[in-house]
Amino acid sequence: MGFNIYIFIIAVIIVGLYFYMNKNKEKKYEEKRYDLIVIFKEEKYTDIRNNESLNQLANWSYYSKKGFRGFCLQTKEELEETIIQELSLEKDDFEVINGDPELYVPS
């Protein structure tokens, strides 16, 4: 009887370690997302939700009459380069800023 208890305890420990290690593996492979806001100059305004490449990077929402906000797979710098390439814009035509949860979201 005493031997069976030891076997049971060892089995529970092994199963617990297995689930703990798999849970940590899943966290390592989660995609990091960046809260970014893209604001265009009025004459260069473009609806980025109509661009397939940009639309795959984030679920973009309107952020004022000239911009969009989304949780993006790219960093601020990477997104700037992607916008320049995808929309054939110059760096001065738009601005990408890091979002802040406390920033006001205009309607």
Side-chain angles (χ1 to χ4, degrees):
M1 174 94 173
F3 183 71
N4 290 338
I5 291 174
Y6 289 121
I7 297 288
F8 176 75
I9 292 172
I10 291 172
V12 168
I13 291 172
I14 290 172
V15 170
L17 285 173
Y18 172 79
F19 283 113
Y20 176 76
M21 292 175 76
N22 279 340
K23 183 178 178 183
N24 285 342
K25 276 185 188 177
E26 290 173 11
K27 286 184 180 180
K28 287 180 186 177
Y29 297 110
E30 287 179 5
E31 296 174 318
K32 182 167 174 93
R33 298 212 177 237
Y34 303 90
D35 182 9
L36 298 176
I37 300 168
V38 181
I39 299 174
F40 293 94
K41 288 190 175 175
E42 220 165 295
E43 64 276 1
K44 297 294 183 170
Y45 174 80
T46 305
D47 190 340
I48 61 177
R49 297 173 306 159
N50 294 332
N51 181 286
E52 188 176 331
S53 295
L54 294 172
N55 211 22
Q56 289 178 359
L57 295 176
N59 185 13
W60 299 105
S61 301
Y62 280 115
Y63 191 83
S64 80
K65 294 178 182 177
K66 299 185 292 182
F68 297 90
R69 185 175 189 171
F71 289 93
C72 186
L73 293 170
Q74 292 184 334
T75 64
K76 176 185 172 200
E77 294 77 17
E78 292 169 336
L79 180 60
E80 288 172 346
E81 290 300 317
T82 301
I83 290 173
I84 289 169
Q85 292 173 357
E86 289 293 321
L87 302 178
S88 300
L89 295 175
E90 299 293 324
K91 176 65 181 104
D92 294 337
D93 295 335
F94 66 96
E95 181 179 9
V96 177
I97 59 174
N98 290 312
D100 181 346
E102 295 183 20
L103 283 177
Y104 169 71
V105 179
S107 53

